[in-house]
Amino acid sequence: MDLTLLWALLSLVSVAWGQYGDYGYPYQQYHDYGDDGWVNLHRQGFSYQCPPGQVVMAVRSIFSKKEGSDRQWNYECMPTPQTLGEPTECWWEEINRAGMEWYQTCSNNGLVAGFQSRYFESVLDREWQFYCCRYSKRCPYSCWLTTEYPGHYGEEIDMVSYSYDYYIRGATTTFSAVERDRQWKFIMCRMTDYDCEFASV
């Protein structure tokens, strides 16, 4: 009788751990720096790319004032639908400098499939690059900006694209010289199901 009770208890514990043990976040484990699968340690650079045929659909980050006013980052990717086809080319966009506000979309109608970043102690900020992939001659349309992430400087970022047919094409960011943190607005777009003649929209 005691053995049966023990097995039942272990089953319940394993189910609860599976649901809540990793805070319920379904993020892909890339370089596992801690319990949440961060892709970087504080004050260190990183390079993250989705697997071929996938694009970034979620961005998560936590801020630490005591760690150089830096953030740890985590991303999740999703496969693109068959209507987009396979990526025809991928590239790293130009660098967005640390300590400055910037706005950038993937050139050549690309979608964001990764991020690269390097930390600069002198400005307590990071420079950023997008890794972009183009899908045949598809063009973006119905683009919009998300709300600011985080809502206030120093807060967590937890941005997930819940709409399967909207993709991240870029971002605009503001930098606070006082808080030494960034707020992001992600540029979300739909993509045509047919080829179009515009090289960059």
Side-chain angles (χ1 to χ4, degrees):
M1 182 78 173
D2 289 333
L3 190 58
T4 306
L5 183 60
L6 177 64
W7 282 111
L9 182 61
L10 284 175
S11 297
L12 289 173
V13 168
S14 65
V15 167
W17 181 262
Q19 288 179 343
Y20 304 107
D22 196 21
Y23 305 106
Y25 291 108
Y27 291 88
Q28 165 181 323
Q29 301 294 309
Y30 191 64
H31 296 294
D32 191 1
Y33 293 122
D35 294 336
D36 292 322
W38 305 113
V39 300
N40 68 301
L41 295 172
H42 289 108
R43 305 178 195 193
Q44 291 191 348
F46 68 88
S47 181
Y48 178 88
Q49 293 178 34
C50 292
Q54 296 189 24
V55 293
V56 174
M57 58 85 60
V59 178
R60 184 168 174 245
S61 177
I62 56 171
F63 180 78
S64 175
K65 191 84 161 171
K66 69 178 183 175
E67 292 289 348
S69 295
D70 194 21
R71 288 183 169 274
Q72 286 184 288
W73 295 89
N74 187 316
Y75 304 99
E76 184 179 345
C77 302
M78 70 173 177
T80 55
Q82 291 182 348
T83 54
L84 280 184
E86 294 296 317
T88 50
E89 61 178 319
C90 296
W91 63 93
W92 287 104
E93 283 290 345
E94 292 189 17
I95 294 172
N96 295 290
R97 299 289 174 207
M100 301 177 68
E101 296 183 3
W102 49 265
Y103 174 98
Q104 185 178 52
T105 57
C106 287
S107 59
N108 211 14
N109 297 329
L111 301 175
V112 175
F115 292 87
Q116 188 164 270
S117 182
R118 194 168 69 149
Y119 180 79
F120 288 89
E121 193 82 38
S122 59
V123 288
L124 301 178
D125 191 27
R126 292 179 165 273
E127 69 178 18
W128 289 91
Q129 277 183 290
F130 294 136
Y131 182 68
C132 300
C133 292
R134 181 179 183 188
Y135 285 78
S136 189
K137 292 184 178 180
R138 302 296 195 248
C139 288
Y141 70 101
S142 295
C143 298
W144 54 280
L145 285 172
T146 65
T147 57
E148 291 177 329
Y149 289 95
H152 301 282
Y153 292 112
E155 293 181 346
E156 269 190 44
I157 293 175
D158 201 355
M159 194 289 293
V160 180
S161 174
Y162 290 104
S163 180
Y164 188 68
D165 56 350
Y166 275 91
Y167 307 96
I168 300 173
R169 287 219 51 238
T172 181
T173 70
T174 55
F175 178 70
S176 169
V178 174
E179 300 295 332
R180 299 320 237 183
D181 193 18
R182 280 187 184 279
Q183 286 182 308
W184 297 68
K185 288 184 179 181
F186 295 93
I187 302 162
M188 309 295 294
C189 296
R190 299 182 77 175
M191 298 297 281
T192 60
D193 290 335
Y194 53 86
D195 288 352
C196 64
E197 298 304 316
F198 301 104
S200 192
V201 177

